Structures are given as structure tokens and as C-alpha cells.
Amino acid sequence: MSRLRSSLISLLSILFLLAACTTTPPAPQIVSPPKAARPVKIGLALGGGAARGFAHIGVIKALEAQGIVPDIVVGTSAGSVVGALYAAGNNGFALHKLALEMDEATISDWSLPFFSKATGVLKGEALQSYVNKAVNQVPLEKLKIPFGAVATDLNSGAPILFRRGNTGAAVRASSAVPSVFQPVRIGDHSYVDGGLVSPVPVRFAREMGADFVIAVNISAQPDAQPASSSLEVLLQTFAIMGQSINHYELKEADIVIQPRLGTMKGSDFPGRNTAILVGEQAATASMAELKQKLAARRAQ
């Protein structure tokens, strides 16, 4: 009886081992590596607004504080001035220092339009010299960050994006507010302020290859700008003209930073420090949304 039991146990053991040998082993789990964030080219589009443009410096300082450095910079008018100096390698703090040291007289070269054929009270040559000196005479195509300045062809009304050539001349053309600055002659064409066609150059940032565009809109609301001089009337006219263009172009930006400059006038150069602070505050307030959208774009 015991021999029979032993034989049965041996038989069952053999059957169990055979069954184990024929069992299909579990399929190995395939663990996909985490998806790497793809490189995203960040474009910074800096709008026009005369002295209100000092706010751009505050925006740049806030972005840099969070490690956000654009791969592409495009500027219109005042935005082209700040943009060129930034693209040349001046960080936010260096720009702030330049702004505080800037003497308005160094960029003002008066003409005598009533006694000559001049078409503006300022020649613009002083602005061109100031910019070229600040960027160490480096041409557009050799700036440290790819940069473009937007101007308007005076004859055709077409926008033009300067990406090569004399940096100061391009900025001068982009900033040549009609009747304030004389038109700028480059080659066979004359150019005036880029704010006529692209107050905040979002689409040009896209054209230069930006995947993610941060737009900085410093234009004034006309109802917040009581005009008390010919210059202020002219700048307010620009603000009114630019509203409809901005309405469409800003929709193409991934995020729009709009410093709350209130009634600050385009001619208020003494208010530069306040404008820089307001720009910094506006960028800081938008930072959470900016980072969220940028992370989502990188994950696509």
C-alpha cells in the first residue's frame, strides 16, 4: 500500500513538473522611455510705443529671472531699439543701466523743416549713431540673437523686415514716426515707422522660425491718452490706427504681456524707471500661464 502511494506521489510530481515546463512564460513588460521635451524656438515680439518702450526692459528682466531667454527677437519702433540692444548681448540689467544713463539729447538731432525740405523735426541720425555705438558697430546678421526690425516702405506701404545690414539704420527706419523723424533712405527705398503696418510684430517672429511667441504690447488705449501737443496727437493717432491691426495680429501670439502703463505718454522719457518696473510686474503676473503653455508646447 505504501509502495502504491509512493508511486502515485511520484507520478503526480512528474505530471506537475511537465505541466510547469509547458506553461507559457509571462510576456516581458515593455517600458517606453519618457518622451523627451522637443526643442521649441521662443520668439519675443516687442511692440512700438515711443517712451513706453522702456517697459520692454522690465519684461526681459522678468523673463531672464525665470531662465526664459528667447531664440529670436523682433521689434517695431521702440521695440526695435530695445530688441537690437538685447540681441547684441545686453541682458536685462545691462539694458536697465543703459536706459537710466540715456540722455534724450543724444538721440535728438533737430532739423529745420520750416526753412528746408525736411519732412520731420528730427533727422534720426543721432538715434542711428547711438544704436550702432551700443551694439559695437555689429551688423544685424551678426548679433548674438537672431533679430529683425520692422519698418514700412513709404512708397508702397508694404512692411519690410530688416535682418541684414547696418543695425542702427534699420532701427532708425523702424522708429521713423512720420512728421517726427525724417524718412530713412536705404538703397532705392524710403522707410518710416513699422507701427503703421505691424505695431506688435508677431507674424514676423513666426516668419523667422519661432514656434512659441511672447508678444509685448505697450500701445496706449486712445481714451487714456489726453493729447495736449502736436506730438501727442500724432502718437495718439498711431495708437488708434494700430488697434485694429493689433486685434488680429495678437491672436497669433502664444501669450501677450501688456504692461499697465495707464496714461503714460509716448513722450514721457523721465518716466522710464516706472515703465521698466511696470513691465517687470506685467511679465511676472503672466509667468505661470506662460510656463504652462510653454511646457505644453514642448510636450507636443
Side-chain angles (χ1 to χ4, degrees):
M1 186 70 177
S2 60
R3 184 178 296 176
L4 178 61
R5 181 181 294 172
S6 297
S7 299
L8 287 171
I9 291 172
S10 298
L11 179 60
L12 288 171
S13 298
I14 292 169
L15 291 172
F16 178 78
L17 289 171
L18 289 172
C21 290
T22 57
T23 303
T24 304
Q29 290 186 345
I30 300 174
V31 180
S32 299
K35 187 177 180 181
R38 74 177 182 88
V40 172
K41 281 191 175 182
I42 300 173
L44 182 62
L46 304 177
R52 294 165 67 94
F54 287 108
H56 290 316
I57 296 173
V59 171
I60 289 169
K61 288 178 69 177
L63 292 174
E64 287 184 335
Q66 297 298 318
I68 299 172
V69 179
D71 302 287
I72 294 164
V73 180
V74 190
T76 291
S77 199
S80 75
V81 179
V82 176
L85 300 184
Y86 182 44
N90 295 289
N91 64 19
F93 287 99
L95 290 173
H96 196 154
K97 185 173 184 291
L98 283 170
L100 296 181
E101 293 173 348
M102 179 187 286
D103 181 359
E104 191 178 346
T106 63
I107 59 171
S108 303
D109 46 0
W110 300 92
S111 65
L112 298 174
F114 299 108
F115 302 100
S116 68
K117 294 181 180 180
T119 54
V121 295
L122 296 175
K123 298 176 184 177
E125 293 171 358
L127 174 61
Q128 178 174 331
S129 297
Y130 172 82
V131 171
N132 278 333
K133 182 178 179 181
V135 302
N136 296 314
Q137 309 299 325
V138 173
L140 290 167
E141 66 272 19
K142 292 187 178 179
L143 294 175
K144 294 182 179 179
I145 302 175
F147 171 72
V150 181
T152 305
D153 188 308
L154 184 59
N155 296 322
S156 68
I160 177 72
L161 180 67
F162 287 105
R163 295 194 58 188
R164 299 184 63 83
N166 187 297
T167 300
V171 169
R172 176 186 172 190
S174 180
S175 307
V177 178
S179 296
V180 177
F181 284 94
Q182 296 174 8
V184 180
R185 189 78 177 175
I186 299 176
D188 297 328
H189 295 262
S190 293
Y191 299 97
V192 292
D193 196 289
L196 291 169
V197 288
S198 186
V200 185
V202 174
R203 60 191 169 112
F204 288 105
R206 297 281 186 206
E207 283 186 15
M208 288 180 64
D211 303 306
F212 187 93
V213 178
I214 302 168
V216 187
N217 181 20
I218 57 168
S219 60
Q221 293 297 320
D223 57 0
Q225 292 286 295
S228 57
S229 70
S230 298
L231 175 59
E232 288 168 6
V233 168
L234 188 61
L235 293 174
Q236 185 164 336
T237 301
F238 262 60
I240 294 169
M241 291 170 60
Q243 275 191 316
S244 58
I245 302 173
N246 269 347
H247 177 73
Y248 293 103
E249 190 153 9
L250 290 176
K251 287 182 178 180
E252 301 300 317
D254 291 279
I255 191 159
V256 178
I257 297 173
Q258 185 149 354
R260 297 181 178 276
L261 294 164
T263 58
M264 180 181 180
K265 298 181 185 299
S267 56
D268 185 9
F269 280 84
R272 68 194 76 180
N273 209 34
T274 299
I276 293 170
L277 177 61
V278 170
E280 198 166 354
Q281 291 171 339
T284 300
S286 301
M287 197 60 66
E289 181 186 2
L290 191 161
K291 285 185 173 181
Q292 182 181 23
K293 288 184 174 181
L294 185 55
R297 181 60 58 88
R298 284 172 171 160
Q300 288 178 355

XYZ file of all heavy atoms in Angstrom, residues 149-153 157-162 173 191-192 194 197 204:
121
model
N 14.088 93.973 -37.492
C 13.432 95.257 -37.224
C 12.412 95.514 -38.324
O 12.730 95.412 -39.509
C 14.461 96.384 -37.178
N 11.186 95.854 -37.939
C 10.096 96.049 -38.896
C 9.930 97.527 -39.220
O 9.854 98.373 -38.322
C 8.763 95.504 -38.337
C 7.643 95.698 -39.342
C 8.896 94.028 -37.976
N 9.872 97.840 -40.512
C 9.628 99.204 -40.978
C 8.562 99.161 -42.070
O 8.094 98.086 -42.466
C 10.917 99.832 -41.498
N 8.179 100.338 -42.551
C 7.163 100.451 -43.596
C 7.755 101.138 -44.812
O 8.381 102.195 -44.691
C 5.953 101.281 -43.101
O 5.456 100.708 -41.886
C 4.845 101.315 -44.142
N 7.591 100.524 -45.983
C 8.028 101.147 -47.235
C 7.118 102.342 -47.511
O 5.901 102.192 -47.643
C 7.940 100.133 -48.377
C 8.572 100.650 -49.665
O 8.205 101.767 -50.095
O 9.394 99.934 -50.255
N 3.751 101.152 -48.978
C 3.008 100.846 -47.766
C 3.238 99.426 -47.280
O 2.624 98.983 -46.305
N 4.132 98.688 -47.939
C 4.391 97.292 -47.573
C 5.313 97.222 -46.356
O 6.200 98.061 -46.186
C 5.028 96.551 -48.739
N 5.122 96.210 -45.512
C 6.042 96.019 -44.390
C 7.357 95.439 -44.877
O 7.407 94.724 -45.869
C 5.298 95.028 -43.491
C 4.423 94.255 -44.441
C 4.025 95.219 -45.511
N 8.420 95.762 -44.187
C 9.727 95.222 -44.514
C 10.396 94.771 -43.222
O 10.324 95.471 -42.209
C 10.621 96.266 -45.246
C 12.020 95.717 -45.535
C 10.717 97.555 -44.460
C 12.091 94.680 -46.597
N 11.000 93.596 -43.251
C 11.724 93.093 -42.085
C 13.208 93.159 -42.378
O 13.724 92.425 -43.228
C 11.302 91.652 -41.789
C 11.997 90.987 -40.583
C 11.589 91.667 -39.285
C 11.679 89.494 -40.535
N 13.912 94.045 -41.691
C 15.356 94.154 -41.858
C 16.052 93.095 -41.020
O 15.877 93.038 -39.796
C 15.840 95.542 -41.426
C 15.484 96.649 -42.371
C 14.474 97.549 -42.062
C 16.149 96.787 -43.573
C 14.137 98.574 -42.930
C 15.834 97.804 -44.456
C 14.818 98.698 -44.137
N 15.002 103.354 -39.201
C 13.882 103.235 -40.132
C 12.632 102.739 -39.414
O 11.523 103.254 -39.623
C 14.250 102.287 -41.270
N 11.869 104.592 -45.944
C 11.123 103.840 -44.940
C 10.702 104.727 -43.778
O 11.388 105.693 -43.429
C 11.973 102.682 -44.407
C 12.367 101.695 -45.476
C 13.615 101.779 -46.097
C 11.493 100.691 -45.881
C 13.980 100.880 -47.090
C 11.856 99.790 -46.877
C 13.099 99.890 -47.466
O 13.450 99.006 -48.451
N 9.561 104.356 -43.187
C 9.070 105.042 -41.994
C 8.683 103.989 -40.948
O 8.849 102.786 -41.158
C 7.864 105.955 -42.314
C 8.288 107.140 -43.172
C 6.753 105.164 -42.991
N 7.568 101.248 -38.426
C 6.923 99.963 -38.643
C 5.571 99.828 -37.969
O 4.805 98.908 -38.285
N 2.262 99.283 -39.959
C 1.856 98.007 -40.550
C 1.908 96.839 -39.569
O 1.238 95.822 -39.761
C 2.742 97.665 -41.771
C 2.415 98.573 -42.953
C 4.232 97.756 -41.415
N 5.972 88.331 -37.875
C 7.366 88.321 -38.320
C 8.213 87.409 -37.437
O 9.181 86.810 -37.911
C 7.924 89.745 -38.346
C 7.361 90.567 -39.467
C 6.414 91.554 -39.230
C 7.753 90.329 -40.773
C 5.881 92.290 -40.276
C 7.234 91.065 -41.828
C 6.291 92.052 -41.571
